[in-house]
Amino acid sequence: MQSAPEKFVRLCERFPLLQLVQSIALLLTLVPISIMIYAVQKSVLHPNCRVMLTLWSLSQLCHHLVVGYLIFHS
């Protein structure tokens, strides 16, 4: 019996279109993350809030980049 992630990997191997859709979705998420980082840096916020929001956005961006890397190299 296969686990759910193994079934999903098999599905992606049979239908490579899913990898393309995932890649496009990840690229589309880069735009709002970039806008949020820019807006946080330009807005009037307490310095601690600015640091927390910037680090949160950067960690989300790094997460998306790692997922994209794993999609292309799996």
Side-chain angles (χ1 to χ4, degrees):
M1 185 168 187
Q2 293 180 341
S3 66
E6 290 173 349
K7 288 180 184 178
F8 182 72
V9 168
R10 299 268 185 236
L11 181 68
C12 286
E13 287 174 354
R14 287 190 338 199
F15 301 104
L17 181 63
L18 288 177
Q19 290 179 346
L20 178 65
V21 171
Q22 284 179 326
S23 302
I24 291 171
L26 286 172
L27 287 174
L28 289 176
T29 60
L30 295 178
V31 174
I33 293 172
S34 302
I35 291 171
M36 183 172 175
I37 291 172
Y38 178 76
V40 165
Q41 293 301 315
K42 295 297 180 183
S43 64
V44 179
L45 288 173
H46 190 271
N48 289 343
C49 295
R50 182 176 293 145
V51 169
M52 286 175 24
L53 285 171
T54 302
L55 289 176
W56 179 78
S57 300
L58 289 175
S59 66
Q60 187 178 14
L61 180 65
C62 289
H63 170 75
H64 287 304
L65 291 175
V66 167
V67 169
Y69 176 80
L70 292 175
I71 287 172
F72 284 113
H73 293 307
S74 62

